[in-house]
Amino acid sequence: MRILVLGATGFLGRHAVGQLRALPGARVLDGGRAPGADLPVDLATADPAHLAAALRAAAPDAVVNCAGAVDGSAVNLAAVNARGPAVLCEALREAAPAARLVHLGSAAEYGPTDGNRPVTETTPARPVGLYGATKLAGTLAVTASGLDAVVLRLFNLVGPGSPASSLPGRLAAELHRAGPDGNVRTGDLSAYRDYVDARDVAHAVTLAVTAPAPLPPLLNIAGGRARRVREIADGLVRAAGFRGRIEEDGGGSTRSAAVSWQQADITAAAHALRWAPRHALADSLADLWAETRTRSESLR
């Protein structure tokens, strides 16, 4: 089985590639902007015809799109998150129409909830910011493509390798810089989020790639539990043996203020993929801290 992973060198891409390569008989091709990629491509600027030619040569049985942007200018967010999936779908229809496409979406597409009920795949999408809106546009491009495609709508990510653009990754780095008795400042930690380990996401990707039957167009991938964001700080403090102070300055993000509570219903993923999260949050945070400490010490 030939599997092309776009965005293979990113946080999620690395985890996905690692698990996909463990599949018997799998040949995993990496695609993206990194030097030496098997399929060099930037979906934000790619020409559909040129991409179709490259896909025809690669002849993938499945394509996993992990490419995405979480910040930057409006032009960059729209190009990567909205244009990119649309270009990919157009090229796949031309060059590899039988290939399965697994695209990674975001819980930011849902927007505010009522704070009482977990969101299902039929919950209306009402993103409050440009990131969520561009991710939703990408999801719509995939679900309307007519391809054998599924969007895995990911909730808040955690685990080893969490980037500095995420709260867990940023806080782990700040705790390491502060030392065991230092002070760390954060924004407001009172919102509720649904966290899922990146390794569990990679497992869902692997199951989606190999599922024998057509899949639902959209599946929530999450821990299935709303947790106060402060639990992330508390868990990292325990893992790090931190004795200092964490000070919330109250200056939380606009999105946290607009979306104060979010939890996913993951029943559909359990039925369609036989998937369930396997990593406890405490273990995800301990592994993130261990990876952060090892990476920082190796750079000295």
Side-chain angles (χ1 to χ4, degrees):
M1 185 180 197
R2 295 171 66 84
I3 307 167
L4 172 64
V5 180
L6 300 169
T9 60
F11 171 43
L12 289 173
R14 292 193 302 271
H15 284 289
V17 165
Q19 293 197 29
L20 290 167
R21 283 185 172 149
L23 291 173
R27 168 81 189 282
V28 180
L29 309 172
D30 63 290
R33 296 175 296 178
D38 295 313
L39 195 154
V41 63
D42 182 352
L43 291 179
T45 59
D47 175 76
H50 292 164
L51 179 56
L55 288 170
R56 194 174 291 111
D61 299 296
V63 176
V64 180
N65 184 25
C66 298
V70 298
D71 52 25
S73 68
V75 171
N76 182 64
L77 287 169
V80 177
N81 296 338
R83 182 187 189 274
V87 168
L88 176 60
C89 289
E90 182 173 330
L92 280 172
R93 283 196 301 268
E94 176 66 25
R100 170 162 292 167
L101 172 59
V102 179
H103 174 74
L104 303 187
S106 169
E109 299 169 39
Y110 283 121
T113 67
D114 63 10
N116 296 308
R117 291 171 294 180
V119 293
T120 71
E121 290 78 1
T122 60
T123 298
R126 298 181 296 148
V128 295
L130 187 58
Y131 169 69
T134 58
K135 289 297 290 184
L136 178 58
T139 287
L140 294 174
V142 172
T143 57
S145 67
L147 296 166
D148 177 10
V150 59
V151 176
L152 303 183
R153 189 167 272 170
L154 311 182
F155 282 65
N156 291 73
L157 300 165
V158 68
S162 294
S165 58
S166 70
L167 172 70
R170 182 170 64 254
L171 188 52
E174 290 293 335
L175 287 169
H176 189 272
R177 279 193 288 268
D181 299 302
N183 289 345
V184 172
R185 295 182 66 85
T186 73
D188 180 25
L189 303 177
S190 64
Y192 285 81
R193 293 289 181 265
D194 192 334
Y195 288 92
V196 61
D197 193 288
R199 293 164 293 187
D200 288 330
V201 171
H203 184 220
V205 167
T206 301
L207 292 172
V209 164
T210 57
L215 293 169
L218 182 63
L219 292 171
N220 288 336
I221 301 297
R225 176 181 171 187
R227 296 176 179 270
R228 194 179 289 273
V229 176
R230 193 170 291 110
E231 290 187 46
I232 298 297
D234 292 343
L236 284 171
V237 163
R238 286 191 293 270
F242 183 72
R243 300 182 296 270
R245 294 180 60 190
I246 292 185
E247 301 175 0
E248 298 178 47
D249 63 15
S253 70
T254 302
R255 178 173 176 264
S256 291
V259 185
S260 61
W261 189 93
Q262 200 170 53
Q263 178 179 324
D265 184 320
I266 55 175
T267 304
H271 288 163
L273 301 177
R274 301 294 185 264
W275 175 88
R278 300 185 291 188
H279 291 81
L281 181 60
D283 295 335
S284 299
L285 294 170
D287 292 345
L288 168 57
W289 172 250
E291 190 268 347
T292 300
R293 184 179 57 187
T294 300
R295 184 176 66 246
S296 298
E297 290 174 355
S298 70
L299 296 175
R300 290 179 180 176

